[in-house]
């Protein structure tokens, strides 16, 4: 039987150990924080209604709102024909008008207190804009299950089995949960590499991907996750060095959706444009999507105009990567079948105002498994990684 090895799409790593304004500045070119076609007129006590309406008509505007409690009205105008700043001056030239101002827009604010959130450029308002999303739905719901099919996740404190001890490094002989995943909700998963029910991460890649989706958030620790209240199902289908075979990956897909996963996130893939040996996985993906699950997969990091598989299958949401400038990352695969792009980062860029590279920051092991070194499964850090592997969990979340 022909098997195809999968290679995870990351390479090197770099670890790292709203102010309100009480007034609106009348400055052209300022970012719009107000209705550009509306002005609030505060008028003097005793101003007759007819006089106020006369002023409004003279300047070709229309009253659209009247306060029931105070002396102000809101007027609307054609901002294609009128400059708001000029109109403000003209309104304030009338003695009846105390002052005029743009109709400001206020939003509720929720920004997590995670101390490294400021380094998560990928979640800011020029990229994913998670603060706006959190104001609509704060972190999702635990009834939604996202399965991460990867190298496992650092989701529990567990005695390392004898058959795994040679593949990882631990000072006390235990796997440990990432300190920034202790508030994350996990459901039972499976380890298809070692055929047991403890899919602990022996590499670090899967833990990093998990963080983007559901890092414990607003806990005064580290960084934030996008959908931090969903439930995570870890399914280990890649070994300690980050590769796996199609038979085990296919069974991981079947396990995930048959055990309630709503979304399957796969930051893995084969060579660009080559689907040889992927038919079994394709059948599993078809079964998953027919059952109503959403399957998300990384496009690949070869920088070519063809997708890797399984992302290349039409049933998958194929995810490419962008950099901090919202351009396609140089390494990201693209072309026919690509569905969406998301932040994947670029080590060649820096986060403005900091000395850090503009890659994706999440918690993982202090040392990843890169073949020549073992993952330190009892020590953690916050690490910048780049790749379509990092872009994929943004879409899954």
């Amino acid at each position: 039987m022909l098997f195809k090895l999968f290679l995870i799409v990351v390479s090197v790593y770099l670890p790292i150990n709203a102010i309100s304004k009480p007034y609106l500045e009348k400055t052209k070119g300022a970012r719009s924080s107000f209705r550009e076609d509306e002005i609030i007129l505060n008028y003097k006590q005793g101003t007759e209604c007819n006089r106020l309406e006369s002023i409004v008509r003279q300047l070709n505007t229309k009253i659209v709102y009247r306060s029931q409690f105070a002396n102000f009205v809101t007027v609307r105008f054609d901002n294609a024909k009128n400059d708001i700043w000029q109109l403000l001056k003209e309104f304030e030239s009338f003695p009846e008008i105390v002052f005029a101002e743009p109709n400001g827009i206020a939003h509720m604010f929720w920004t997590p207190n995670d101390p490294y959130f400021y380094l998560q450029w990928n979640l800011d308002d020029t990229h994913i804009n998670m603060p706006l999303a959190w104001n609509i739905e704060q972190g999702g719901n635990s009834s939604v299950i996202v399965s991460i099919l990867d190298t496992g996740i650092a989701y529990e404190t567990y005695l390392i089995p004898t058959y795994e001890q040679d593949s990882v490094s631990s000072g006390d002989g235990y796997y440990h949960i990432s300190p920034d995943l202790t508030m994350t909700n996990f459901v039972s998963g499976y380890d298809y590499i070692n055929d047991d029910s403890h899919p602990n991460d022996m590499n670090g890649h899967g833990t990093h991907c998990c963080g983007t989706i559901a890092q414990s958030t607003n806990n005064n620790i580290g960084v934030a996750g996008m959908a931090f209240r969903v439930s995570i199902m870890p399914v280990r289908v890649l070994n300690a060095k980050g590769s796996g075979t199609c038979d085990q990956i296919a069974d991981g897909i079947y396990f995930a959706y048959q055990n309630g996963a709503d979304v399957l996130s796969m930051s893995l893939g084969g060579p660009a444009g080559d689907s040889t040996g992927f038919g079994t996985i394709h059948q599993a993906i078809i079964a998953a999507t027919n059952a109503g699950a959403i399957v998300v997969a990384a496009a690949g990091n070869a920088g070519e105009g063809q997708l890797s598989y399984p992302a290349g299958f039409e049933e998958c949401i194929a995810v490419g990567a962008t950099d901090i400038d919202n351009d396609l990352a140089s390494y990201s695969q693209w072309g026919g079948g690509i569905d969406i792009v998301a932040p994947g980062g670029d080590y060649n860029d820096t986060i403005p105002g900091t000395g850090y590279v503009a890659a994706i920051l999440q918690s993982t092991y202090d040392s990843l498994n890169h073949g020549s070194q073992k993952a330190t499964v009892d020590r953690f850090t916050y690490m910048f990684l780049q790749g379509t592997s990092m872009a994929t969990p943004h879409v899954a979340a």
Side-chain angles (χ1 to χ4, degrees):
M1 181 180 294
L2 179 65
F3 297 114
K4 195 73 176 182
L5 284 179
F6 274 29
L7 299 178
I8 58 175
V9 286
V10 295
S11 50
V12 300
Y13 68 94
L14 291 170
I16 69 161
N17 252 340
I19 303 173
S20 62
K21 291 182 70 174
Y23 59 89
L24 291 167
E25 294 179 351
K26 300 177 182 181
T27 305
K28 289 186 179 181
R31 181 179 175 184
S32 178
S33 58
F34 51 84
R35 288 288 303 265
E36 296 183 357
D37 61 347
E38 290 185 359
I39 290 174
I40 300 175
L41 303 178
N42 284 265
Y43 56 90
K44 290 181 179 179
Q45 179 74 28
T47 301
E48 293 186 0
C49 183
N50 289 342
R51 176 55 183 158
L52 183 62
E53 290 177 351
S54 174
I55 293 171
V56 169
R57 286 194 301 270
Q58 285 182 56
L59 296 183
N60 297 312
T61 62
K62 179 182 179 181
I63 295 175
V64 294
Y65 183 84
R66 293 178 184 270
S67 173
Q68 300 178 36
F69 305 99
N71 296 325
F72 71 83
V73 295
T74 303
V75 300
R76 186 171 296 159
F77 59 94
D78 185 348
N79 63 326
K81 297 179 180 179
N82 297 276
D83 178 74
I84 189 170
W85 307 109
Q86 183 59 37
L87 272 179
L88 290 172
K89 292 178 181 178
E90 293 179 12
F91 273 120
E92 290 182 341
S93 70
F94 291 93
E96 294 86 355
I97 303 301
V98 178
F99 70 92
E101 64 179 352
N103 194 5
I105 299 172
H107 301 282
M108 58 181 175
F109 296 119
W110 187 83
T111 301
N113 60 19
D114 307 80
Y116 295 148
F117 179 68
Y118 79 103
L119 295 173
Q120 293 184 278
W121 58 268
N122 46 310
L123 305 186
D124 69 20
D125 62 358
T126 62
H127 297 89
I128 298 294
N129 200 359
M130 283 312 302
L132 178 61
W134 287 325
N135 285 336
I136 299 170
E137 176 66 39
Q138 199 174 104
N141 190 293
S142 62
S143 65
V144 176
I145 299 175
V146 180
S147 180
I148 299 174
L149 290 85
D150 211 288
T151 61
I153 298 172
Y155 76 104
E156 66 173 351
T157 298
Y158 182 70
L159 183 66
I160 301 172
T162 55
Y163 52 84
E164 295 179 1
Q165 290 174 358
D166 290 340
S167 299
V168 296
S169 173
S170 175
D172 63 1
Y174 281 80
Y175 287 109
H176 287 264
I177 185 171
S178 166
D180 212 356
L181 288 176
T182 57
M183 293 172 59
T184 301
N185 187 51
F186 290 97
V187 297
S188 297
Y190 202 79
D191 182 345
Y192 281 91
I193 301 299
N194 288 325
D195 194 23
D196 63 41
S197 59
H198 294 273
N200 288 288
D201 196 349
M202 299 175 67
N203 176 280
H205 181 268
T207 298
H208 193 281
C209 291
C210 175
T212 296
I213 299 173
Q215 196 84 71
S216 298
T217 300
N218 206 42
N219 61 343
N220 278 304
I221 299 174
V223 294
M226 293 173 62
F228 51 88
R229 289 199 172 110
V230 303
S231 296
I232 297 296
M233 176 191 292
V235 178
R236 184 168 178 250
V237 295
L238 301 177
N239 64 25
K241 295 183 179 180
S243 63
T245 54
C246 286
D247 53 350
Q248 293 175 328
I249 295 167
D251 269 354
I253 294 169
Y254 284 115
F255 175 91
Y257 87 82
Q258 289 182 10
N259 283 276
D262 301 288
V263 180
L264 283 65
S265 183
M266 297 191 290
S267 291
L268 46 77
D274 184 1
S275 63
T276 306
F278 288 79
T280 302
I281 284 181
H282 192 194
Q283 293 304 305
I285 291 170
I286 291 171
T289 54
N290 284 345
I294 297 170
V295 181
V296 186
N301 283 5
E304 299 182 17
Q306 292 180 304
L307 304 186
S308 291
Y309 290 85
F313 295 125
E314 64 178 356
E315 295 82 8
C316 284
I317 297 176
V319 185
T322 54
D323 59 22
I324 195 170
D325 298 317
N326 289 320
D327 295 323
L328 188 70
S330 60
Y331 55 79
S332 179
Q333 287 167 229
W334 51 276
I338 196 77
D339 293 299
I340 193 169
V341 291
D346 189 338
Y347 295 140
N348 296 315
D349 289 331
T350 57
I351 304 171
T354 77
Y356 297 111
V357 295
I360 306 303
L361 182 65
Q362 286 296 342
S363 172
T364 188
Y365 296 135
D366 186 63
S367 294
L368 304 184
N369 186 316
H370 287 298
S372 61
Q373 66 182 24
K374 300 174 184 179
T376 55
V377 300
D378 59 339
R379 300 196 308 273
F380 295 86
T381 190
Y382 293 90
M383 190 176 294
F384 288 100
L385 296 178
Q386 73 170 25
T388 54
S389 275
M390 281 61 254
T392 299
H394 287 82
V395 177

